[in-house]
Amino acid sequence: MATRVVVGAQWGDEGKGKIVDLLSSDADYVVRYQGGANAGHTLEFDDKKIVLHLIPSGIFNGDATCVIGNGVVIDPHALLEEIEEVEAMGGDLKGQLKISGSAHVILPYHQLLDRVKEEHRGDDAIGTTGRGIGPAYVSKVSRVGIRMSDLFHPKALRKKVRDNIADINEALQHVYKHDPIEADPIIENLLEAAEQLCPYITNTSALLHDAIKNGKEILLEGAQGSLLDVDHGTYPFVTSSCPTSGGACTGSAIPPTAIDKVMGISKAYCTRVGNGPFPSELTGKAGEKLREAGQEFGATTGRPRRCGWIDLVALKYAVRLNGMNELALTKLDILDDFEEIKLCTSYRVDGEETEVFPLDLPDVENLEPVYTSMPGWNQSLEGCNSREDFPAKAEEYLQFIERYLDVDLTILSKGPKRSETIVL
Ligand code: IMP
């Protein structure tokens, strides 16, 4: 029995949902530990497709308890909609979904602030998903956040929300030249949602500590990706939480000593949605070809994703940051139709070649990617059911990645369905 963290190794959208869904059949607990409804984890099974934003991706495969951990920020209405959608597809949430009382609540004023702040930034906008994520984490670290456990205490809750809104109205009117907002409708709406959500709210810290003591199998599901980490990503073009494996501990209350394995998920190429540096981005026809073939449009916002070749320098940084001991490579089939495939293997920064991911934003923005080129396999991977079935050129591509990163590939995915996955 083990506790395993599944993290995005790039800028998000690596296919974490698909891999977590697959691994969930053996899990007792599947835990989301950070982020919120900015995530869009797509699952496809039995000719059904669903995009999960808050509910852990283990809900449809086996009977794992699905936990929304303390590190997540929850939009109550988005969660209720998702609960309804999952139940309509046959998911059983009663008794199977647990929400941490310490998780913070996203309120309409967080979404409004997200929007007006982005407008205010103009050309320097981050390109957020507009789901109120940043402002909700600001409330949390400013110690004025509303937690899920506050939903049990309406009287105190009313006062907290009123105080927050009085404060926010100052900023809205005087900084952003926006009309003030009214507290009462927001409070009533929240209390309505509370009635439906309270039965799911519990002390997930104690629940997970018991699970560890009893040798249960736990999967921690990261959202976004390592390079969007607020501490270690391409700051300030990042999200406001810690998707890396360290964040899995603080966001779930599982101590570092209880983590046995860290699995990274990477696409066989690279994408990014939103603004900020992307060294191996392809802006021409090859980028468009990847976007079309990979259907690279945001699962949450529908925005077209920026596409490029796999960036091994950035990936090696993610391997190191997360202490990754295994890697799943997804969307290999998207490269089926390329004569030539490139891998970014170093950067030129100020005339010097380096394999170290720079942390200073101007360095990341100004670096020049250096590529190694390989011939593409130029054939479909459809009939490949094991690694031995792969064309020789695809195998060379995989071996190059393993050698460069010094990490084992343990899952290869070549299509959206569970059946299109090879577990090595
Ligand atoms: P926020 O998390 O909505 O504040 O957005 C901050 C940055 O993270 C933006 O560049 C978003 O596009 C990006 N981002 C947030 N969530 C995801 C995700 O699930 N996949 C990919 N990018 C994301």
Side-chain angles (χ1 to χ4, degrees), residues 43-65:
L43 316 187
E44 287 190 34
F45 57 92
D46 303 341
D47 295 323
K48 295 182 200 163
K49 178 173 173 176
I50 185 166
V51 182
L52 296 172
H53 302 284
L54 283 160
I55 295 176
S57 302
I59 200 72
F60 289 107
N61 198 3
D63 52 8
T65 301

PDB file of all heavy atoms in Angstrom, residues 43-65:
ATOM      1  N   LEU A  43     -12.155  13.134 -18.474  1.00  0.00           N
ATOM      2  CA  LEU A  43     -12.173  11.665 -18.410  1.00  0.00           C
ATOM      3  C   LEU A  43     -13.048  11.135 -19.542  1.00  0.00           C
ATOM      4  O   LEU A  43     -14.119  11.681 -19.811  1.00  0.00           O
ATOM      5  CB  LEU A  43     -12.776  11.155 -17.093  1.00  0.00           C
ATOM      6  CG  LEU A  43     -12.388  11.805 -15.769  1.00  0.00           C
ATOM      7  CD1 LEU A  43     -12.982  11.006 -14.614  1.00  0.00           C
ATOM      8  CD2 LEU A  43     -10.891  11.874 -15.616  1.00  0.00           C
ATOM      9  N   GLU A  44     -12.583  10.078 -20.183  1.00  0.00           N
ATOM     10  CA  GLU A  44     -13.396   9.420 -21.216  1.00  0.00           C
ATOM     11  C   GLU A  44     -13.422   7.930 -20.939  1.00  0.00           C
ATOM     12  O   GLU A  44     -12.375   7.299 -20.821  1.00  0.00           O
ATOM     13  CB  GLU A  44     -12.819   9.685 -22.611  1.00  0.00           C
ATOM     14  CG  GLU A  44     -13.062  11.103 -23.059  1.00  0.00           C
ATOM     15  CD  GLU A  44     -12.738  11.359 -24.526  1.00  0.00           C
ATOM     16  OE1 GLU A  44     -12.938  10.459 -25.366  1.00  0.00           O
ATOM     17  OE2 GLU A  44     -12.281  12.478 -24.805  1.00  0.00           O
ATOM     18  N   PHE A  45     -14.625   7.393 -20.797  1.00  0.00           N
ATOM     19  CA  PHE A  45     -14.774   5.954 -20.546  1.00  0.00           C
ATOM     20  C   PHE A  45     -16.182   5.546 -20.959  1.00  0.00           C
ATOM     21  O   PHE A  45     -17.107   6.367 -20.914  1.00  0.00           O
ATOM     22  CB  PHE A  45     -14.532   5.624 -19.062  1.00  0.00           C
ATOM     23  CG  PHE A  45     -15.446   6.396 -18.137  1.00  0.00           C
ATOM     24  CD1 PHE A  45     -16.654   5.863 -17.731  1.00  0.00           C
ATOM     25  CD2 PHE A  45     -15.099   7.663 -17.719  1.00  0.00           C
ATOM     26  CE1 PHE A  45     -17.512   6.584 -16.905  1.00  0.00           C
ATOM     27  CE2 PHE A  45     -15.953   8.404 -16.897  1.00  0.00           C
ATOM     28  CZ  PHE A  45     -17.149   7.860 -16.490  1.00  0.00           C
ATOM     29  N   ASP A  46     -16.336   4.298 -21.349  1.00  0.00           N
ATOM     30  CA  ASP A  46     -17.647   3.761 -21.748  1.00  0.00           C
ATOM     31  C   ASP A  46     -18.407   4.717 -22.672  1.00  0.00           C
ATOM     32  O   ASP A  46     -19.610   4.962 -22.477  1.00  0.00           O
ATOM     33  CB  ASP A  46     -18.549   3.497 -20.512  1.00  0.00           C
ATOM     34  CG  ASP A  46     -17.908   2.551 -19.522  1.00  0.00           C
ATOM     35  OD1 ASP A  46     -16.976   1.832 -19.916  1.00  0.00           O
ATOM     36  OD2 ASP A  46     -18.334   2.545 -18.337  1.00  0.00           O
ATOM     37  N   ASP A  47     -17.724   5.294 -23.658  1.00  0.00           N
ATOM     38  CA  ASP A  47     -18.336   6.257 -24.580  1.00  0.00           C
ATOM     39  C   ASP A  47     -18.911   7.490 -23.885  1.00  0.00           C
ATOM     40  O   ASP A  47     -19.800   8.156 -24.412  1.00  0.00           O
ATOM     41  CB  ASP A  47     -19.430   5.594 -25.442  1.00  0.00           C
ATOM     42  CG  ASP A  47     -18.829   4.547 -26.358  1.00  0.00           C
ATOM     43  OD1 ASP A  47     -17.703   4.777 -26.848  1.00  0.00           O
ATOM     44  OD2 ASP A  47     -19.462   3.484 -26.541  1.00  0.00           O
ATOM     45  N   LYS A  48     -18.447   7.757 -22.678  1.00  0.00           N
ATOM     46  CA  LYS A  48     -18.895   8.974 -21.990  1.00  0.00           C
ATOM     47  C   LYS A  48     -17.691   9.898 -21.849  1.00  0.00           C
ATOM     48  O   LYS A  48     -16.552   9.432 -21.807  1.00  0.00           O
ATOM     49  CB  LYS A  48     -19.401   8.639 -20.573  1.00  0.00           C
ATOM     50  CG  LYS A  48     -20.632   7.791 -20.531  1.00  0.00           C
ATOM     51  CD  LYS A  48     -21.004   7.597 -19.064  1.00  0.00           C
ATOM     52  CE  LYS A  48     -21.898   6.390 -18.885  1.00  0.00           C
ATOM     53  NZ  LYS A  48     -21.961   5.915 -17.507  1.00  0.00           N
ATOM     54  N   LYS A  49     -17.970  11.184 -21.738  1.00  0.00           N
ATOM     55  CA  LYS A  49     -16.890  12.151 -21.532  1.00  0.00           C
ATOM     56  C   LYS A  49     -17.347  13.157 -20.482  1.00  0.00           C
ATOM     57  O   LYS A  49     -18.482  13.618 -20.526  1.00  0.00           O
ATOM     58  CB  LYS A  49     -16.586  12.862 -22.854  1.00  0.00           C
ATOM     59  CG  LYS A  49     -15.512  13.915 -22.739  1.00  0.00           C
ATOM     60  CD  LYS A  49     -15.137  14.450 -24.114  1.00  0.00           C
ATOM     61  CE  LYS A  49     -14.199  15.625 -23.961  1.00  0.00           C
ATOM     62  NZ  LYS A  49     -13.716  16.141 -25.222  1.00  0.00           N
ATOM     63  N   ILE A  50     -16.490  13.467 -19.530  1.00  0.00           N
ATOM     64  CA  ILE A  50     -16.829  14.482 -18.529  1.00  0.00           C
ATOM     65  C   ILE A  50     -15.581  15.277 -18.196  1.00  0.00           C
ATOM     66  O   ILE A  50     -14.467  14.732 -18.188  1.00  0.00           O
ATOM     67  CB  ILE A  50     -17.462  13.851 -17.255  1.00  0.00           C
ATOM     68  CG1 ILE A  50     -17.921  14.954 -16.281  1.00  0.00           C
ATOM     69  CG2 ILE A  50     -16.512  12.878 -16.558  1.00  0.00           C
ATOM     70  CD1 ILE A  50     -18.845  14.482 -15.170  1.00  0.00           C
ATOM     71  N   VAL A  51     -15.763  16.563 -17.950  1.00  0.00           N
ATOM     72  CA  VAL A  51     -14.645  17.401 -17.503  1.00  0.00           C
ATOM     73  C   VAL A  51     -14.891  17.734 -16.033  1.00  0.00           C
ATOM     74  O   VAL A  51     -15.888  18.383 -15.693  1.00  0.00           O
ATOM     75  CB  VAL A  51     -14.552  18.697 -18.340  1.00  0.00           C
ATOM     76  CG1 VAL A  51     -13.350  19.518 -17.884  1.00  0.00           C
ATOM     77  CG2 VAL A  51     -14.444  18.377 -19.823  1.00  0.00           C
ATOM     78  N   LEU A  52     -13.999  17.250 -15.169  1.00  0.00           N
ATOM     79  CA  LEU A  52     -14.121  17.527 -13.735  1.00  0.00           C
ATOM     80  C   LEU A  52     -13.269  18.747 -13.380  1.00  0.00           C
ATOM     81  O   LEU A  52     -12.157  18.901 -13.887  1.00  0.00           O
ATOM     82  CB  LEU A  52     -13.652  16.321 -12.921  1.00  0.00           C
ATOM     83  CG  LEU A  52     -14.481  15.050 -13.083  1.00  0.00           C
ATOM     84  CD1 LEU A  52     -13.817  13.875 -12.375  1.00  0.00           C
ATOM     85  CD2 LEU A  52     -15.899  15.258 -12.540  1.00  0.00           C
ATOM     86  N   HIS A  53     -13.815  19.596 -12.527  1.00  0.00           N
ATOM     87  CA  HIS A  53     -13.077  20.802 -12.137  1.00  0.00           C
ATOM     88  C   HIS A  53     -12.651  20.753 -10.673  1.00  0.00           C
ATOM     89  O   HIS A  53     -11.621  21.281 -10.300  1.00  0.00           O
ATOM     90  CB  HIS A  53     -13.930  22.043 -12.390  1.00  0.00           C
ATOM     91  CG  HIS A  53     -14.370  22.169 -13.828  1.00  0.00           C
ATOM     92  ND1 HIS A  53     -13.526  22.579 -14.821  1.00  0.00           N
ATOM     93  CD2 HIS A  53     -15.556  21.892 -14.433  1.00  0.00           C
ATOM     94  CE1 HIS A  53     -14.177  22.580 -15.979  1.00  0.00           C
ATOM     95  NE2 HIS A  53     -15.411  22.161 -15.777  1.00  0.00           N
ATOM     96  N   LEU A  54     -13.492  20.150  -9.837  1.00  0.00           N
ATOM     97  CA  LEU A  54     -13.211  20.133  -8.394  1.00  0.00           C
ATOM     98  C   LEU A  54     -13.238  18.728  -7.793  1.00  0.00           C
ATOM     99  O   LEU A  54     -12.490  18.417  -6.876  1.00  0.00           O
ATOM    100  CB  LEU A  54     -14.253  21.000  -7.667  1.00  0.00           C
ATOM    101  CG  LEU A  54     -14.045  22.515  -7.771  1.00  0.00           C
ATOM    102  CD1 LEU A  54     -15.338  23.253  -7.471  1.00  0.00           C
ATOM    103  CD2 LEU A  54     -12.939  22.979  -6.831  1.00  0.00           C
ATOM    104  N   ILE A  55     -14.113  17.891  -8.313  1.00  0.00           N
ATOM    105  CA  ILE A  55     -14.244  16.536  -7.770  1.00  0.00           C
ATOM    106  C   ILE A  55     -13.054  15.712  -8.252  1.00  0.00           C
ATOM    107  O   ILE A  55     -12.712  15.740  -9.439  1.00  0.00           O
ATOM    108  CB  ILE A  55     -15.585  15.898  -8.211  1.00  0.00           C
ATOM    109  CG1 ILE A  55     -16.744  16.703  -7.587  1.00  0.00           C
ATOM    110  CG2 ILE A  55     -15.661  14.423  -7.799  1.00  0.00           C
ATOM    111  CD1 ILE A  55     -18.125  16.256  -8.015  1.00  0.00           C
ATOM    112  N   PRO A  56     -12.380  14.997  -7.352  1.00  0.00           N
ATOM    113  CA  PRO A  56     -11.219  14.198  -7.768  1.00  0.00           C
ATOM    114  C   PRO A  56     -11.564  13.210  -8.888  1.00  0.00           C
ATOM    115  O   PRO A  56     -12.682  12.682  -8.955  1.00  0.00           O
ATOM    116  CB  PRO A  56     -10.830  13.484  -6.472  1.00  0.00           C
ATOM    117  CG  PRO A  56     -11.295  14.394  -5.388  1.00  0.00           C
ATOM    118  CD  PRO A  56     -12.578  14.978  -5.895  1.00  0.00           C
ATOM    119  N   SER A  57     -10.569  12.964  -9.738  1.00  0.00           N
ATOM    120  CA  SER A  57     -10.801  12.141 -10.940  1.00  0.00           C
ATOM    121  C   SER A  57     -10.954  10.656 -10.645  1.00  0.00           C
ATOM    122  O   SER A  57     -11.037   9.855 -11.573  1.00  0.00           O
ATOM    123  CB  SER A  57      -9.668  12.363 -11.943  1.00  0.00           C
ATOM    124  OG  SER A  57      -9.585  13.711 -12.280  1.00  0.00           O
ATOM    125  N   GLY A  58     -11.022  10.277  -9.360  1.00  0.00           N
ATOM    126  CA  GLY A  58     -11.211   8.878  -9.012  1.00  0.00           C
ATOM    127  C   GLY A  58     -12.667   8.492  -8.869  1.00  0.00           C
ATOM    128  O   GLY A  58     -12.993   7.343  -8.551  1.00  0.00           O
ATOM    129  N   ILE A  59     -13.576   9.415  -9.136  1.00  0.00           N
ATOM    130  CA  ILE A  59     -14.980   9.198  -8.791  1.00  0.00           C
ATOM    131  C   ILE A  59     -15.660   8.129  -9.647  1.00  0.00           C
ATOM    132  O   ILE A  59     -16.664   7.545  -9.239  1.00  0.00           O
ATOM    133  CB  ILE A  59     -15.750  10.552  -8.818  1.00  0.00           C
ATOM    134  CG1 ILE A  59     -17.040  10.467  -8.007  1.00  0.00           C
ATOM    135  CG2 ILE A  59     -16.008  11.050 -10.221  1.00  0.00           C
ATOM    136  CD1 ILE A  59     -16.865  10.422  -6.535  1.00  0.00           C
ATOM    137  N   PHE A  60     -15.125   7.845 -10.834  1.00  0.00           N
ATOM    138  CA  PHE A  60     -15.805   6.895 -11.720  1.00  0.00           C
ATOM    139  C   PHE A  60     -15.135   5.536 -11.828  1.00  0.00           C
ATOM    140  O   PHE A  60     -15.603   4.681 -12.552  1.00  0.00           O
ATOM    141  CB  PHE A  60     -15.921   7.495 -13.130  1.00  0.00           C
ATOM    142  CG  PHE A  60     -16.907   8.626 -13.208  1.00  0.00           C
ATOM    143  CD1 PHE A  60     -16.469   9.925 -13.338  1.00  0.00           C
ATOM    144  CD2 PHE A  60     -18.270   8.374 -13.141  1.00  0.00           C
ATOM    145  CE1 PHE A  60     -17.384  10.965 -13.416  1.00  0.00           C
ATOM    146  CE2 PHE A  60     -19.189   9.411 -13.218  1.00  0.00           C
ATOM    147  CZ  PHE A  60     -18.744  10.711 -13.352  1.00  0.00           C
ATOM    148  N   ASN A  61     -14.010   5.346 -11.177  1.00  0.00           N
ATOM    149  CA  ASN A  61     -13.313   4.072 -11.367  1.00  0.00           C
ATOM    150  C   ASN A  61     -13.051   3.431 -10.012  1.00  0.00           C
ATOM    151  O   ASN A  61     -12.128   3.814  -9.298  1.00  0.00           O
ATOM    152  CB  ASN A  61     -11.990   4.307 -12.122  1.00  0.00           C
ATOM    153  CG  ASN A  61     -11.452   3.024 -12.718  1.00  0.00           C
ATOM    154  OD1 ASN A  61     -12.081   1.965 -12.621  1.00  0.00           O
ATOM    155  ND2 ASN A  61     -10.287   3.108 -13.332  1.00  0.00           N
ATOM    156  N   GLY A  62     -13.875   2.485  -9.644  1.00  0.00           N
ATOM    157  CA  GLY A  62     -13.718   1.846  -8.343  1.00  0.00           C
ATOM    158  C   GLY A  62     -14.502   2.605  -7.290  1.00  0.00           C
ATOM    159  O   GLY A  62     -15.330   3.456  -7.613  1.00  0.00           O
ATOM    160  N   ASP A  63     -14.199   2.307  -6.021  1.00  0.00           N
ATOM    161  CA  ASP A  63     -15.014   2.930  -4.971  1.00  0.00           C
ATOM    162  C   ASP A  63     -14.166   3.741  -4.007  1.00  0.00           C
ATOM    163  O   ASP A  63     -14.427   3.810  -2.814  1.00  0.00           O
ATOM    164  CB  ASP A  63     -15.821   1.858  -4.229  1.00  0.00           C
ATOM    165  CG  ASP A  63     -14.921   0.732  -3.749  1.00  0.00           C
ATOM    166  OD1 ASP A  63     -13.680   0.893  -3.870  1.00  0.00           O
ATOM    167  OD2 ASP A  63     -15.440  -0.294  -3.258  1.00  0.00           O
ATOM    168  N   ALA A  64     -13.118   4.374  -4.536  1.00  0.00           N
ATOM    169  CA  ALA A  64     -12.267   5.211  -3.684  1.00  0.00           C
ATOM    170  C   ALA A  64     -13.066   6.376  -3.105  1.00  0.00           C
ATOM    171  O   ALA A  64     -13.946   6.928  -3.773  1.00  0.00           O
ATOM    172  CB  ALA A  64     -11.095   5.755  -4.502  1.00  0.00           C
ATOM    173  N   THR A  65     -12.751   6.733  -1.860  1.00  0.00           N
ATOM    174  CA  THR A  65     -13.303   7.945  -1.267  1.00  0.00           C
ATOM    175  C   THR A  65     -12.595   9.127  -1.913  1.00  0.00           C
ATOM    176  O   THR A  65     -11.365   9.153  -1.990  1.00  0.00           O
ATOM    177  CB  THR A  65     -13.044   7.942   0.264  1.00  0.00           C
ATOM    178  OG1 THR A  65     -13.673   6.781   0.808  1.00  0.00           O
ATOM    179  CG2 THR A  65     -13.583   9.181   0.928  1.00  0.00           C
TER     180      THR A  65
END
